[in-house]
């Protein structure tokens, strides 16, 4: 089989330079590649295009890359939890493209499956449709959306093996398996890295063929955005 | 006049037995509390779970288990987790039967605006454009008028829209209304101790009143 | 949650009538819905359109439905293992549409995901492309293929629960999860039916929302088409 | 002149270290036996497995574990199983680097015909049209001439094609040939004790011979 292991985030990101486009897994702060985000900050690469459902919060997640002004453009579906983001957006420092959440998912899927484009009903008749082809099938309108063409995908999984096979846990799966399929180079950080044969083939969410570099991350904070509980 | 809990309670009656439902943030989230115990309803959260349960017990929060509002949650026996493409796949194919969400404006043709106010910080549409575009049933839970006292039920939306001709029914503190096929808000029910005139005054779009309008039953 | 259990294949197929279009899971004889096929034979429904990667072998799998002349049309990618099939095809009794295997899979996926159509490179410039729209994206040609619109999907899983959640084993997964998503009414037969909560949500391949009826099958033969072994 | 094992052995040298490969039925299947032991090559079977292993020990066949040729197989540590959409997804996105398959005819432009003979029973294209259409490398393993002694390397295919301009290299019992960008079969290597004239006589399409043609090395 094929060993995809690298020593850590620095080696994983070795060839990622200024101006790169990056798909970043996660929904809110759930399932985000914490180690790689820290390494991107340390590396100091600039003018990044980040494609991620959200933009983190002030001081955590993609918010860290915004604080250091490393992001030129964000492509997201929802960006509401970040004051620095808002400041940069209103001052014109940051470019933002907002797209429907399902469209974000499907454009990753299309890239991963070698489909150049897809049709979705989301956004028909709205400003999202401006400049896009609208086409009617069987009496309903759909927008033609193009597959993503991003340089890197950086994802976070629960478990992985040397071959790059990935397993996600609960709702931390979200966009991670889709982005893993869509990157030209896909980097996976995992909480637990195991030897080939330790994962049941039927339990694997992302086959290793989609993953180019894998390492076991350290010190996950897994910050909770909105802690909601019942009292005993 | 209803409070938020009252609106949620009334909407809960619209949820069929044996159905899959997606609840938006705000009043819609409260709907889950009022589903009759003998009804089998499964809630989907579009970040990737079918079968969401109540909030976790204090100290048992799992950072890997949240809903689309980023709140910590639990799952019920029979739940399943999946990626975002499958999640929006089941939405777009209409397998999620009903979506209940908030709105800034609804037009008399069922257009919905709930994601953007020009000149203000735009947070994004999240999954709303997908949910309303899907071939399922879309119900709106909202206040009848905005904070300036202006009607949110309009001839045409003034704000950028989330979806066209997507809303079936609207539930407010004053009334239950249905979008007429030819356009207009058909007044179906009044909230307790609310008069038809009160609803008329709060509705800017065409209000269709046929016969006696009953008071809501819960 | 929602209980999808039915007593068995007869109840599961209660409303399936003459002329129905049916997606049937399986690859070769691997992962085929044996119980439902037998029940279809017993029921005697006629003029069926069967969409399945293969057409079984003489006397087993879809071959049973061919023997009883219940199939009007087959939509498959490969049909080579069946003499009765060949006889009916050459005599004009049976209509056959051959489509690329990936196209078969993608047309199911599109139906399951609410996409009206998809673009694929398979079949460009071949007789498969006749009558279809060919479109160029970024210098490559693709065919526009429509999502399936079938009345029923009949699939076979390894494990399932009352809510219709399904888990498949090894390569018996194949088309089953895709067809399960694509049927207007989806019937699943499983080797083991368990109570809700017995399956880990992260292990489920087909969420129960796609499945309308489920039952525990009996007496699986699981015939092997080509037994190939190493000698000790 | 090579036998089938010889053709497979020669093709095995084309398979890069650290690559994912799909093998068709027939000669291509034999290629797996000749991958150098220090090469890391993962075989995909399009019915849904990465990391196929050898045939099972007698008595240990698993009916739920077969390859695309419907043969019972095993899997290696690090294998993964998936559905048919993901399988053809990884093929179409070019993640499967190489496909090796048989052919009835190859044209000098790299067109491939391997699925249908008019007037005979048509079995279907299976996954072949997907595999050759994908943006990966397509190698053909076949006999240079058919059973009637006619060349299978032609100016144009006479049979219905499986894909256009999809073949990069051809491996026969006589030679290794590459498709020229402008059309034509570039003769790269002769099989042991086969003359250039023998290859000329067996090739109906334009044969391009540049300088001395070396004998194959294994």
């Amino acid at each position: 089989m094929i060993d995809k292991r690298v020593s850590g985030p620095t080696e994983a990101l070795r060839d990622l330079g200024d101006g790169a486009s990056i798909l970043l897994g996660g929904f809110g702060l759930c399932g985000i590649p914490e180690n790689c985000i820290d390494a991107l900050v340390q590396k100091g690469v600039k003018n990044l295009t980040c494609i991620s459902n959200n933009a983190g919060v002030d001081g955590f997640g993609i918010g860290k890359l915004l604080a250091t002004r490393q992001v030129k453009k964000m492509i997201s579906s929802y960006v509401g939890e970040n004051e620095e983001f808002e400041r940069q957006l209103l001052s014109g420092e940051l470019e933002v493209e907002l797209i429907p959440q399902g469209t974000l998912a499907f454009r990753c899927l299309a890239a991963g499956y070698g489909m150049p484009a897809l049709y979705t009903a989301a956004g028909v008749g709205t400003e999202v449709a401006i400049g896009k082809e609208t086409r009617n099938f069987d009496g309903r309108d759909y927008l033609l959306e193009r597959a993503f063409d991003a340089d890197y995908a950086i994802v976070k999984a629960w478990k992985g093996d040397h071959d790059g096979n990935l397993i996600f846990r609960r709702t931390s799966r979200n966009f991670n398996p889709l982005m893993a399929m869509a990157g030209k180079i896909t980097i996976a950080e995992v909480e637990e890295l195991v030897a080939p044969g330790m994962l049941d083939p039927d339990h694997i969410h992302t086959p290793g063929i989609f993953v180019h570099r894998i390492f076991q991350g350290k010190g996950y904070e897994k910050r909770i955005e909105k802690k909601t509980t019942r009292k005993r | 006049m209803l409070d938020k809990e009252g609106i949620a309670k009334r909407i809960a009656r619209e949820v069929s037995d044996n159905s899959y439902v997606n609840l938006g943030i705000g009043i819609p989230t409260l709907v889950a509390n009022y589903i009759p115990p003998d009804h089998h309803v499964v809630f989907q959260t579009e970040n990737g779970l079918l079968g969401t349960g109540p909030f976790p017990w204090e100290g048992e929060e799992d950072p890997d288990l949240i809903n689309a509002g980023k709140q910590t949650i639990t799952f019920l026996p029979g739940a399943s987790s999946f990626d975002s493409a499958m999640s929006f796949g089941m939405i777009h194919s209409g397998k999620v039967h009903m979506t209940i969400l908030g709105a800034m404006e609804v037009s008399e043709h069922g257009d919905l605006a709930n994601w953007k106010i020009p000149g203000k910080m735009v947070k994004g549409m999240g999954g709303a454009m997908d949910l309303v575009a899907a071939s399922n049933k879309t119900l709106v839970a909202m206040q009848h008028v905005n904070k300036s006292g202006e009607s949110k039920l309009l001839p045409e939306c003034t704000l950028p829209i989330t979806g066209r001709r997507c809303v079936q029914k609207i539930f407010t503190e004053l009334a239950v209304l249905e979008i007429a096929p030819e356009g207009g808000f058909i007044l179906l029910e009044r909230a307790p101790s609310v008069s038809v005139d009160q609803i008329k005054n709060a509705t800017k779009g065409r209000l269709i009143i046929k016969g006696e309008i009953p008071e809501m039953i819960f």
Side-chain angles (χ1 to χ4, degrees), chain A residues 54 77-79 86 99 101-102 121-122 127 140 169-171 173-174 178 222 226 228-232, chain B residues 55-58 60-62 64-66 69-72 81 84-85 116 121 123-126 130 133:
Chain A
N54 311 93
S77 89
Y78 193 81
V79 292
E86 187 166 348
I99 63 176
Q101 196 169 318
E127 59 180 60
R140 285 188 73 198
R169 191 172 166 277
R170 309 307 182 214
T171 58
R173 191 179 331 178
N174 55 66
L178 302 164
K222 291 200 186 183
K226 292 178 192 166
T228 45
T229 57
R230 278 180 293 172
K231 294 225 165 172
R232 281 175 203 278
Chain B
F55 293 144
W57 297 112
E58 223 174 283
E60 293 185 1
E61 314 84 37
D62 179 348
D64 289 339
L65 187 53
I66 64 171
K70 280 102 180 175
Q71 298 170 312
T72 47
S81 52
S84 300
K116 187 176 183 178
M121 167 67 188
K123 295 188 170 185
M125 66 290 280
D130 296 278

Side-chain angles (χ1 to χ4, degrees), chain A residues 168-174 205, chain B residues 45 47-51 64-65 75 78-84 86-87 90:
Chain A
F168 303 90
R169 191 172 166 277
R170 309 307 182 214
T171 58
S172 72
R173 191 179 331 178
N174 55 66
H205 298 126
Chain B
T45 182
N47 55 316
L49 190 79
L50 269 171
D64 289 339
L65 187 53
F75 62 81
S80 56
S81 52
F82 36 82
D83 68 43
S84 300
M86 184 176 271
S87 182
M90 63 183 68

